[in-house]
Amino acid sequence: VSTQSTGTPDSSNMSKATFTLGNTAKFVQAPDQSSQWRWSVYLRTGEHASLIQKIVLHLHPTFSPSEYEYSTPDSEGVFASGSFTGWGTFNIRVTVCWKDGSTTSLSHHLDFEDDGGSGVHSITLPSARPEPANEPAPAEPSNEPANEPAPAVVPAVSREQLQEQLAGTGYLDPSDPLFFHGRAYNGSGADEQPTKAWESELKPRDDHDAPDWLTATEFQDTEAVMESKCAALAQLLQLSHKTVIYSGAGISVAANIGQAAAGSGGKGSKGTDAWPTKTHFALGALGRHGLVHGWVQQNHDGLPQKAGYPQENINEIHGSWFDPSNPVVLYSGTLQHDKYPWMRHDADTADLVIVVGTSLGGLNADQVATKTAKRSLRNRPWKPDGSGGALGTVIINLQQTEQDGKATLRMFGTTDSVLPRVLQMLRLAEVSTCKCGRQFCREPNGYMYEGTESTSRHAWQMQLLDEHGELKPTERSNWLTQERVVTVPYDRDGKLSETAVMRLDLRDGQKIKITEGHNIQGAGQPAYLHIGATEPYTRPRAYGGQTMKNGPGHGTVMRKRTDECAFQLNVEGVSMLLGAWWLDAARRGNLEALPVVNLDPVMESE
């Protein structure tokens, strides 16, 4: 709770009170089969409601309007909002405006579990309240790896031994020495803390609450501990029946794409033209070799696919820059109809979840990590329906997260340094020595755009084992060199078929349409809301204020965009991108439906 006085305090009236701020939540299925939640916010003030002039509710800026005022409590002193709908959780702020002219700011993280959540806040009633302290400026980041003794590898254990240890070890408290290492860590340095690579007293995100111990400080495991942890992760990957990646924006920072969390990375300067990182290539390799079975992707950037990860195995739950049927979803929007059930299925059935690049700050999709961690408390064999046990969750991040105490293995380092090391242990990759003479150093952001001519002190290369057993350097998959007319096992509406065969033609000038089941209206992006609308749509002033003629989603292939690895489409007068990898996925016939088809497709069989 932060407090700010805007009037002259009267210290003679100083006293404390307890308020409860929370939300209700109910899962609903929209008429278009999209998944969303209906929720409301409440503030219980009890007998002190008479001191309050009004409360102001501040929602995520994608809601319009994003602020609501309530001045009339019920007979029990409860200020209640109306109902809202959406798919995403975020930090809600409430400003209590007292009748003496002062204000108090409260915050609550929207919670969709167990019909909603709440928190108790100790409030200083209108009186003298301290001014909030200024946040200190973050320290300069350090990029130098520490000199450490020779590594000691973690001893091998059986799956049965591992599950017995996990079931007998509850969630860890921050004071526990294993909190920095994980509930199943048995390697060297288990009593040591990682070093601080960059220190800050700021919170990881300014739109999420966090416990007192959690800051944006970045940590780095010592060399010996990191070697042991990488060996442990290699073992977990080999033992797991179903491994799911859960990724956030942090894994794309090295590609110069921005993120919401505070940290030592530079500002983003790339978008649809970004190149994959070593992390994306490493995870793609694990997928191709059968060690990763699914990927729940919070990001929209298409970098996994550019690194060769198959489109059909990645759940772009929050939308994509490269899928015109699933634009990036606003917090006030709804998810595409199949994305939420797919995420819930992975959350309920994964054996091992590897968390990379996310602060686990309370998004609904965080259940992929937390539910799998909870199943690791069961000393039972894994079962495909989720009724058994699990190996749990591995978290790889420079910063701590609220969920660290639940982790089977907790690794502090960049994913660009950790995952190539794991692949080398699995004999799926070879990594060169860094220019500085060491290995697995942290390279500067944007290293992939400099190539072998990098002027940085830290630069190294990775080669991956391909399907023929040969080592090949990492490079973007050049999807656009492939043919642009392919024969695919789909019907004229883009649905997978056992009998129909269609010719999908994405040459320049070809007429196309977005298929049924798209989420353009649900996503809520003002640039596209005329597509699929029943009447003309006038954009907000920030988006130009034009009135756009509504249309069903017909368009034209304009050209291929080599830098973006995509086809540029003009759909109902606006530009959209289709990742070139969709052609390859369509040819494999592993997608339930295609995002686009030709307006009048050539059918080889119906």
Side-chain angles (χ1 to χ4, degrees):
V1 178
S2 61
T3 332
Q4 181 179 13
S5 176
T6 57
T8 303
D10 178 3
S11 59
S12 63
N13 293 328
M14 187 173 182
S15 60
K16 293 279 189 178
T18 298
F19 287 3
T20 300
L21 176 60
N23 71 275
T24 64
K26 181 180 180 181
F27 181 72
V28 294
Q29 198 81 31
D32 63 357
Q33 300 303 304
S34 61
S35 303
Q36 59 183 353
W37 294 82
R38 181 175 294 118
W39 51 272
S40 62
V41 180
Y42 59 85
L43 178 67
R44 294 197 182 104
T45 64
E47 61 184 2
H48 307 291
S50 60
L51 301 175
I52 298 172
Q53 181 182 25
K54 64 181 179 180
I55 69 167
V56 182
L57 178 64
H58 308 270
L59 303 180
H60 195 273
T62 56
F63 283 78
S64 181
S66 60
E67 290 189 1
Y68 294 82
E69 295 185 1
Y70 302 95
S71 56
T72 306
D74 65 15
S75 60
E76 297 182 351
V78 178
F79 292 82
S81 76
S83 293
F84 303 95
T85 57
W87 62 269
T89 58
F90 55 92
N91 209 46
I92 294 171
R93 292 188 300 110
V94 171
T95 301
V96 180
C97 301
W98 304 96
K99 290 182 178 178
D100 74 343
S102 61
T103 61
T104 299
S105 294
L106 309 175
S107 63
H108 167 71
H109 195 82
L110 187 59
D111 187 353
F112 292 157
E113 295 296 319
D114 301 322
D115 300 322
S118 63
V120 176
H121 301 266
S122 178
I123 304 295
T124 301
L125 296 175
S127 61
R129 288 187 286 259
E131 293 293 324
N134 293 326
E135 294 284 1
E140 289 296 318
S142 171
N143 191 42
E144 295 299 321
N147 287 313
E148 299 295 340
V153 177
V154 66
V157 295
S158 68
R159 183 183 175 98
E160 291 72 23
Q161 290 173 315
L162 187 58
Q163 287 201 254
E164 183 177 358
Q165 179 176 349
L166 287 168
T169 307
Y171 294 159
L172 303 175
D173 186 84
S175 61
D176 193 303
L178 279 178
F179 189 76
F180 281 100
H181 304 293
R183 296 161 45 229
Y185 183 63
N186 297 308
S188 62
D191 57 345
E192 301 174 6
Q193 291 191 5
T195 60
K196 292 181 179 180
W198 180 75
E199 190 166 4
S200 172
E201 294 187 12
L202 296 170
K203 293 301 179 183
R205 296 180 62 138
D206 57 11
D207 58 348
H208 286 69
D209 279 337
D212 291 340
W213 57 266
L214 182 59
T215 70
T217 296
E218 295 180 354
F219 295 88
Q220 177 68 52
D221 281 321
T222 63
E223 179 62 24
V225 171
M226 179 57 74
E227 188 77 3
S228 291
K229 288 182 177 180
C230 286
L233 178 53
Q235 290 179 21
L236 287 168
L237 284 164
Q238 292 173 305
L239 291 173
S240 173
H241 297 289
K242 179 181 178 179
T243 298
V244 175
I245 304 300
Y246 180 49
S247 64
I251 66 170
S252 297
V253 170
N256 283 343
I257 296 178
Q259 64 173 348
S264 64
K267 294 182 179 179
S269 60
K270 288 285 185 177
T272 56
D273 59 341
W275 291 12
T277 67
K278 286 183 171 71
T279 295
H280 295 100
F281 282 115
L283 294 175
L286 289 173
R288 290 193 300 276
H289 290 282
L291 294 172
V292 164
H293 311 95
W295 191 331
V296 179
Q297 159 86 318
Q298 294 182 43
N299 305 339
H300 326 295
D301 50 38
L303 294 184
Q305 297 94 317
K306 290 181 182 180
Y309 195 84
Q311 175 66 49
E312 60 266 27
N313 290 339
I314 188 162
N315 181 355
E316 294 173 296
I317 189 166
H318 297 160
S320 170
W321 294 338
F322 296 95
D323 181 358
S325 72
N326 186 29
V328 177
V329 183
L330 299 184
Y331 270 87
S332 54
T334 58
L335 303 180
Q336 195 169 24
H337 65 91
D338 61 332
K339 299 299 187 287
Y340 186 79
W342 184 3
M343 179 273 291
R344 284 291 296 265
H345 178 73
D346 280 344
D348 290 337
T349 62
D351 189 12
L352 178 70
V353 169
I354 301 177
V355 176
V356 289
T358 173
S359 58
L360 294 175
L363 288 176
N364 193 249
D366 289 354
Q367 64 182 278
V368 176
T370 56
K371 284 187 173 182
T372 306
K374 187 174 183 178
R375 288 195 301 280
S376 73
L377 297 171
R378 308 171 183 167
N379 191 9
R380 307 177 199 166
W382 177 82
K383 291 186 177 181
D385 64 358
S387 62
L391 294 177
T393 297
V394 175
I395 303 175
I396 310 172
N397 203 339
L398 288 167
Q399 297 174 344
Q400 294 179 290
T401 79
E402 292 185 53
Q403 308 301 332
D404 281 6
K406 301 176 182 179
T408 296
L409 182 65
R410 184 62 175 91
M411 308 176 76
F412 288 96
T414 67
T415 52
D416 275 3
S417 300
V418 171
L419 293 172
R421 189 188 299 235
V422 173
L423 259 67
Q424 186 159 273
M425 289 180 173
L426 292 168
R427 301 183 185 277
L428 299 178
E430 282 190 6
V431 174
S432 70
T433 301
C434 180
K435 286 173 64 177
C436 73
R438 304 185 186 186
Q439 273 197 314
F440 308 111
C441 296
R442 182 178 182 178
E443 297 175 276
N445 292 345
Y447 64 82
M448 66 288 300
Y449 308 115
E450 297 183 7
T452 57
E453 305 302 319
S454 172
T455 58
S456 170
R457 181 187 175 196
H458 299 287
W460 48 280
Q461 307 302 317
M462 176 174 67
Q463 291 185 307
L464 298 174
L465 198 70
D466 68 8
E467 61 273 18
H468 306 296
E470 298 179 2
L471 288 168
K472 296 291 180 64
T474 55
E475 56 185 7
R476 284 190 309 165
S477 297
N478 194 359
W479 301 106
L480 291 176
T481 61
Q482 301 181 21
E483 55 192 304
R484 297 173 67 178
V485 183
V486 296
T487 301
V488 299
Y490 293 84
D491 64 21
R492 63 178 58 249
D493 295 318
K495 301 285 192 346
L496 185 64
S497 173
E498 295 182 357
T499 58
V501 177
M502 178 181 65
R503 192 174 298 170
L504 182 60
D505 188 346
L506 293 180
R507 292 175 296 179
D508 293 357
Q510 291 297 310
K511 301 298 182 184
I512 53 91
K513 65 178 180 180
I514 298 178
T515 54
E516 291 184 6
H518 67 75
N519 195 46
I520 293 175
Q521 288 294 310
Q525 290 287 350
Y528 306 136
L529 281 178
H530 62 292
I531 301 173
T534 57
E535 56 187 25
Y537 170 74
T538 301
R539 293 173 172 171
R541 184 174 298 176
Y543 288 81
Q546 308 99 320
T547 296
M548 304 294 292
K549 182 181 178 182
N550 55 302
H554 294 177
T556 305
V557 180
M558 303 303 292
R559 62 189 179 99
K560 63 180 182 181
R561 298 274 293 268
T562 304
D563 287 347
E564 282 89 347
C565 197
F567 300 107
Q568 181 180 342
L569 313 178
N570 184 297
V571 180
E572 304 293 356
V574 295
S575 179
M576 305 182 89
L577 292 177
L578 175 71
W581 49 84
W582 282 97
L583 271 177
D584 199 52
R587 182 163 26 201
R588 289 194 297 271
N590 290 333
L591 301 163
E592 288 297 319
L594 303 179
V596 301
V597 295
N598 292 106
L599 191 58
D600 187 15
V602 174
M603 303 299 300
E604 297 190 359
S605 64
E606 295 278 7

